[in-house]
């Protein structure tokens, strides 16, 4: 960096914004703390250790560092500059990981695309983010190939063949390996700061259009530290990554912190038999899965035929783990410690955790705030809710918190009001300060002076074994308030009558909590990831009580 000798010395004699910026930029490569250097530092400590295993082939930290540099230099050669968005539509592959790490080193912003979305929804994410480059795995070519003209911001298309081994369909695509491996494997000369944004993720949009959550290096690094400490990660860990990397939990709570600390990541898909096999094959020590996947594992017909003794850390999240399943996990994985994470994409995404003995004593609890976070409950007027058993909106504060919702200042301001991030979830604290998540705030039915917790009503209806799924929502009542209704999907082959459900609810609920109407349907509307779209249910049945 050229020196203005007349002013150079003066910059060392004052503490002010311009001079501090000068020093931070001048010595950036010496003292920065950014994601781009994460793998390099692990390679410095463990150069020949396996950083990841993909399709049975290990890749060392040194090799991963070099390949990430090549990808970064290839992106820069395409014209990708700082903060330009690079979208990735891929499974849990080596190319996906290289695209992510290459973005960090180039100073670009990585945009993971949920491959369960429709082509129209993918276009929304690409166009709203104004992505400049799109990395497409061959397995998903049908989602984008005929829609490229509808994504005008895309200037370059990169083809990954790691899904099905297919060649690019046309000359419009650059083949990933040939494209990036021709570039130097040294770090690009890019000034990177901890406050630089590096990820843009779109929420599932259960209550509104998807929101673009902008996360910077600080949020992620702070979250990684919290996960490593609270989750008891160590360099000897071997982590199975079976849930999609497009999801912030698998990517930011597990894969990246494991890279940071120098462990080994196994990349694979969400195949239950494959998970069991890989635990045995690689001696995996840690695995994150949703309750549904854990239930599928322990009920798998081949479960007892695998040697799973290496698995010492069991991680759960994304929904509450039933107490009976916790007991079964403890029995089946003797000596393993169990952890449950809670959070949101906007919190990078870790907020609270419960583990070990506390989880056994308080099943269903979301725990207490992580190492670098604070947590409190707020009333509708923004005041702190005190005392055990009282409900309020779950709020968080700390370095994990996002920068903003992209192009949405009003929603950002509302979420950050009063110096806390507002999650939209309702919770309550017990006498020990442990959190229980009650419901989404928007799902609470305001029935006159009473508040009906939809999850409570749903849990009662689920007492009937013939109920496959149920959603309780509030719709307008002729008296001017909202009233709860229940929309039920009966289990296959089961006949049900509304009087039976009314009777069940009256036995277990207060009168104001009993649904005013019972509706039976074949299916409930959901997002591509399986989350209920209650806004669609409310819209469809908005006139049902009138």
């Amino acid at each position: 960096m050229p020196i203005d000798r007349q002013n150079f010395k003066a910059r060392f004699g004052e503490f002010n914004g311009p001079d501090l910026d000068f020093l931070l930029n001048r010595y950036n490569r010496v003292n920065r703390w950014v994601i781009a250097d994460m793998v390099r530092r692990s390679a410095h400590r463990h150069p020949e250790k396996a950083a990841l295993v993909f399709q049975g082939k290990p890749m060392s930290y040194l090799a991963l560092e070099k390949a990430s540099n090549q990808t970064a230099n290839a992106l820069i050669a395409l014209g990708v500059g700082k903060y330009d968005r690079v979208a990735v539509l891929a499974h849990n592959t080596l190319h996906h990981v290289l695209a992510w790490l290459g973005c960090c080193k180039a100073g670009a912003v990585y945009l993971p695309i949920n491959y369960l979305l429709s082509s129209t929804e993918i276009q929304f994410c690409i166009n709203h983010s104004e992505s400049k480059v799109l990395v497409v795995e061959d397995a998903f070519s049908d989602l984008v190939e005929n829609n490229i003209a509808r994504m005008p911001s895309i200037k370059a298309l990169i083809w990954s063949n790691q899904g099905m081994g297919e060649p690019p369909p046309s000359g419009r695509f650059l083949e990933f390996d040939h494209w990036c491996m021709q570039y130097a494997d040294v770090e690009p000369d890019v000034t990177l700061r901890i406050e630089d944004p590096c990820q843009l993720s779109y929420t599932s949009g259960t209550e509104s259009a998807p929101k673009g959550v902008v996360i910077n290096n600080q949020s992620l690094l702070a979250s990684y530290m919290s996960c490593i400490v609270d989750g008891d990660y160590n360099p000897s860990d071997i982590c199975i990554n079976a849930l999609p990397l497009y999801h912030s939990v698998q990517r930011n709570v597990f894969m990246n912190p494991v890279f940071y600390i120098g462990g080994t990541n196994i990349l694979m898909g969400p195949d239950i038999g494959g998970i069991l096999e890989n635990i045995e094959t690689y001696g995996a020590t840690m695995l994150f899965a949703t309750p549904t996947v854990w239930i599928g594992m322990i009920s798998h017909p081949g479960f007892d035929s695998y040697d799973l003794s290496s698995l010492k850390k069991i991680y759960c999240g994304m929904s509450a783990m039933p107490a009976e399943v916790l007991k079964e996990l403890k029995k089946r994985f003797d000596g393993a410690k169990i952890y449950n994470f809670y959070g949101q994409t906007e919190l990078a995404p870790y907020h609270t955790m419960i583990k070990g003995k506390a989880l056994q004593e308080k099943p269903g609890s979301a725990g207490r705030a992580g190492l670098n976070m604070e947590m409190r409950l707020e009333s509708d007027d923004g005041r702190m809710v005190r005392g055990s058993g009282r409900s309020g909106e779950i709020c968080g504060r700390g370095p994990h918190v996002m920068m903003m919702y992209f192009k949405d200042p009003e929603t950002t301001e509302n979420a950050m009001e009063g110096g806390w991030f507002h999650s939209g979830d309702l919770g309550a604290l017990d006498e020990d300060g442990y959190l229980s998540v009650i419901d989404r705030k928007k799902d609470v039915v305001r029935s006159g002076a009473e508040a009906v917790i939809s999850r409570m009503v749903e849990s009662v209806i689920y007492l009937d074994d013939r109920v496959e799924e149920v959603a309780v929502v509030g719709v307008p009542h002729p008296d001017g308030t909202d009233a709860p209704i229940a929309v039920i999907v009966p289990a296959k082959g089961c006949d049900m009558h509304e009087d039976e459900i009314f009777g069940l609810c009256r036995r277990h609920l207060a009168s104001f909590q009993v649904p005013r109407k019972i509706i039976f349907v074949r299916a409930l509307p959901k997002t591509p990831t399986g989350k209920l779209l209650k806004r669609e249910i409310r819209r469809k049945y908005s006139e049902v009580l009138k």
Side-chain angles (χ1 to χ4, degrees):
M1 184 184 296
I3 297 175
D4 179 352
R5 295 191 178 277
Q6 183 176 357
N7 297 319
F8 184 71
K9 186 175 180 180
R11 293 188 181 276
F12 292 77
E14 295 286 344
F15 293 124
N16 59 56
D19 288 344
L20 291 176
D21 272 341
F22 169 82
L23 294 170
L24 288 170
N25 290 333
R26 180 165 182 79
Y27 303 119
N28 181 256
R29 295 297 291 274
V30 182
N31 59 18
R32 71 189 185 188
W33 191 24
V34 290
I35 308 277
D37 299 335
M38 171 177 70
V39 170
R40 191 190 72 235
R41 293 197 175 113
S42 289
H44 181 73
R45 298 189 304 273
H46 319 285
E48 300 307 321
K49 184 178 181 180
L52 61 81
V53 178
F54 175 60
Q55 294 181 342
K57 298 177 182 178
M59 187 177 206
S60 72
Y61 270 101
L62 184 58
L64 180 60
E65 169 66 9
K66 290 182 176 181
S68 301
N69 289 335
Q70 289 178 303
T71 306
N73 287 318
L75 287 169
I76 292 169
L78 283 177
V80 173
K82 281 199 74 172
Y83 313 140
D84 282 341
R85 274 72 72 197
V86 176
V88 180
L89 180 61
H91 285 109
N92 295 7
T93 66
L94 173 59
H95 287 166
H96 192 151
V97 174
L98 291 177
W100 149 240
L101 295 173
C103 284
C104 291
K105 288 175 174 287
V109 175
Y110 156 85
L111 169 60
I113 300 290
N114 179 347
Y115 50 69
L116 298 177
L117 296 177
S118 68
S119 58
T120 300
E121 292 166 319
I122 290 172
Q123 286 174 41
F124 172 84
C125 296
I126 298 279
N127 293 335
H128 185 268
S129 66
E130 300 177 63
S131 293
K132 196 168 186 177
V133 174
L134 175 58
V135 179
V136 184
E137 184 185 305
D138 50 9
F140 306 119
S141 62
D142 59 321
L143 292 174
V144 299
E145 191 177 358
N146 296 322
N147 300 300
I148 294 170
R150 300 184 183 94
M151 298 181 284
S153 64
I154 295 295
K155 305 304 179 188
L157 293 159
I158 312 300
W159 181 264
S160 170
N161 66 352
Q162 292 186 334
M164 301 188 301
E166 296 292 330
S170 71
R172 292 182 296 180
F173 293 86
L174 298 170
E175 197 279 319
F176 195 102
D177 288 327
H178 182 266
W179 160 67
C180 69
M181 295 309 166
Q182 60 185 305
Y183 291 94
D185 62 9
V186 296
E187 282 186 326
D189 185 15
V190 181
T191 298
L192 302 170
R193 300 272 288 269
I194 195 168
E195 64 269 22
D196 286 341
C198 57
Q199 281 188 13
L200 172 58
S201 300
Y202 282 86
T203 62
S204 56
T206 57
E207 291 297 334
S208 60
K211 298 185 288 290
V213 178
V214 180
I215 300 288
N216 64 9
N217 281 266
Q218 171 184 284
S219 297
L220 292 174
L221 289 167
S223 183
Y224 298 171
M225 292 301 96
S226 297
C227 293
I228 288 168
V229 173
D230 297 340
D232 302 318
Y233 303 178
N234 62 69
S236 63
D237 273 325
I238 299 171
C239 179
I240 299 287
N241 293 268
L243 271 67
L245 290 181
Y246 69 68
H247 200 289
S248 59
V249 176
Q250 190 67 67
R251 186 176 68 248
N252 291 330
V253 177
F254 296 97
M255 184 187 76
N256 285 318
V258 168
F259 279 146
Y260 192 103
I261 203 169
T264 299
N265 281 299
I266 312 300
L267 303 180
M268 62 170 296
D271 172 68
I272 289 175
I275 292 171
L276 295 169
E277 182 177 345
N278 281 337
I279 293 172
E280 179 180 76
T281 299
Y282 298 107
T285 61
M286 57 188 292
L287 168 66
F288 166 73
T290 62
T292 302
V293 174
W294 283 115
I295 292 168
M297 286 175 60
I298 59 180
S299 60
H300 189 276
F303 182 90
D304 292 327
S305 66
Y306 293 98
D307 179 3
L308 308 175
S309 59
S310 63
L311 194 70
K312 298 302 182 186
K313 287 174 281 192
I314 290 172
Y315 300 91
C316 316
M318 297 172 69
S319 61
M321 180 71 81
E324 59 273 19
V325 179
L326 282 174
K327 292 178 183 177
E328 190 66 18
L329 285 174
K330 195 72 176 172
K331 176 183 174 182
R332 295 292 194 98
F333 295 95
D334 186 38
K337 192 172 182 179
I338 304 176
Y339 306 71
N340 192 84
F341 284 98
Y342 163 77
Q344 291 85 27
T345 302
E346 293 90 337
L347 302 181
Y350 170 37
H351 191 187
T352 70
M353 178 203 274
I354 186 169
K355 60 183 177 181
K357 184 179 179 182
L359 182 57
Q360 301 297 321
E361 295 173 347
K362 301 174 185 287
S365 171
R368 296 190 285 197
L371 175 69
N372 288 313
M373 287 297 290
E374 302 169 60
M375 180 267 293
R376 78 172 191 176
L377 305 180
E378 283 189 7
S379 59
D380 289 341
D381 60 4
R383 296 182 182 182
M384 182 177 177
V385 174
R386 301 181 185 274
S388 64
R390 298 184 59 198
S391 65
E393 183 172 7
I394 303 168
C395 299
R397 181 168 68 182
H400 297 195
V401 179
M402 68 172 186
M403 295 183 74
M404 64 173 169
Y405 291 117
F406 190 47
K407 299 180 180 178
D408 196 346
E410 183 177 347
T411 304
T412 303
E413 282 286 296
N414 291 337
M416 305 288 201
E417 187 176 1
W420 290 80
F421 171 76
H422 294 73
S423 70
D425 285 345
L426 283 180
L429 301 178
D430 69 10
E431 63 278 6
D432 299 316
Y434 281 78
L435 173 69
S436 291
V437 181
I438 297 173
D439 209 342
R440 286 295 292 170
K441 190 175 181 180
K442 291 181 179 179
D443 290 342
V444 174
V445 183
R446 302 291 176 179
S447 184
E450 305 290 352
V452 179
I453 306 300
S454 64
R455 285 188 186 179
M456 181 184 298
V457 182
E458 289 164 357
S459 67
V460 168
I461 295 174
Y462 273 124
L463 293 174
D464 190 319
D465 293 337
R466 297 171 298 171
V467 174
E468 182 173 308
E469 284 187 299
V470 59
V472 172
V473 299
V475 298
H477 190 273
D479 67 7
T481 66
D482 280 353
I485 65 169
V487 183
I488 298 172
V489 178
K492 189 175 180 179
C494 293
D495 292 324
M496 301 185 71
H497 194 275
E498 61 180 21
D499 288 343
E500 298 170 318
I501 301 300
F502 281 132
L504 177 66
C505 291
R506 289 182 184 121
R507 289 194 298 273
H508 293 275
L509 298 168
S511 59
F512 71 88
Q513 296 172 314
V514 175
R516 301 299 188 271
K517 190 169 185 63
I518 307 295
I519 300 168
F520 295 104
V521 297
R522 292 183 178 180
L524 296 174
K526 297 177 182 178
T527 69
T529 54
K531 291 184 179 180
L532 279 177
L533 283 169
K534 286 196 171 183
R535 73 170 187 269
E536 293 299 323
I537 300 173
R538 282 192 288 267
R539 181 191 59 76
K540 183 174 182 179
Y541 298 107
S542 61
E543 304 290 325
V544 74
L545 297 182
K546 291 185 177 180

